[in-house]
Amino acid sequence: MTELRPLMVEAAHYNCPALLADWSWLVPSTDTPLFISAFGDWVFGSPNGSLWVLSVLEGTYTQVARNAHEYNTLNKSQEWVDQTFSADWLPIAARQGLVPEEQQCLGWSVHPLLGGQFDPANLQVFEMLVYQSLMGQLHRQLQQRPAPATR
């Protein structure tokens, strides 16, 4: 079997300002990037000590822990890690021969919000910079579009 890459990589390994350029509408500039997942999701530290996750799948920025101790307790639960970071898809992708390098991530060829299926055939390896830009723009546009008119 293909060797898996780590789920999380320290954000210091990346050009964070470039990767976050299309997320500035959602992520406070005061928060510090800590980790990036193999799926392009981020963990941030807030000045108050809380930890937040930027989900590139859902286009959300949510608090996941009040402090590092709570985060380190939560991340020992495989169920929590799978639910929060889609970690259970990492070995599925590897079985398909999709193992991103450090400057790459796994993503959906057709995003599920646009009708793509949660299926291994819909997974793809992207350059991290490209995927972050695409997802930041997609979610900004989806969240800023007007609600459909009611009849």
Side-chain angles (χ1 to χ4, degrees):
M1 181 170 160
T2 308
E3 185 175 330
L4 297 180
R5 69 161 268 174
L7 174 65
M8 303 302 270
V9 174
E10 289 184 29
H13 291 228
Y14 298 91
N15 179 347
C16 293
L19 293 177
L20 290 168
D22 287 301
W23 289 106
S24 62
W25 62 274
L26 182 61
V27 178
S29 61
T30 55
D31 291 3
T32 302
L34 303 174
F35 300 101
I36 306 176
S37 81
F39 291 90
D41 297 320
W42 295 74
V43 176
F44 287 84
S46 178
N48 70 5
S50 61
L51 282 94
W52 295 68
V53 168
L54 169 63
S55 168
V56 297
L57 174 62
E58 297 176 9
T60 56
Y61 191 71
T62 55
Q63 182 176 335
V64 294
R66 291 182 306 265
N67 53 47
H69 176 73
E70 183 179 19
Y71 179 80
N72 288 329
T73 299
L74 288 169
N75 73 23
K76 301 298 184 273
S77 162
Q78 191 60 51
E79 181 180 338
W80 183 84
V81 172
D82 288 347
Q83 182 179 358
T84 306
F85 299 108
S86 304
D88 49 341
W89 279 91
L90 199 54
I92 293 169
R95 286 193 293 273
Q96 302 295 315
L98 301 171
V99 179
E101 295 177 10
E102 191 170 278
Q103 296 297 322
Q104 298 175 322
C105 65
L106 291 164
W108 302 102
S109 297
V110 178
H111 195 282
L113 291 176
L114 301 176
Q117 299 297 308
F118 287 102
D119 184 276
N122 191 29
L123 283 172
Q124 177 180 334
V125 173
F126 289 88
E127 293 301 316
M128 184 72 78
L129 181 61
V130 170
Y131 200 63
Q132 292 293 329
S133 179
L134 289 172
M135 292 301 98
Q137 292 176 57
L138 171 70
H139 287 295
R140 185 181 69 238
Q141 290 173 10
L142 289 175
Q143 292 180 30
Q144 292 178 350
R145 70 180 175 195
T150 57
R151 295 182 188 233

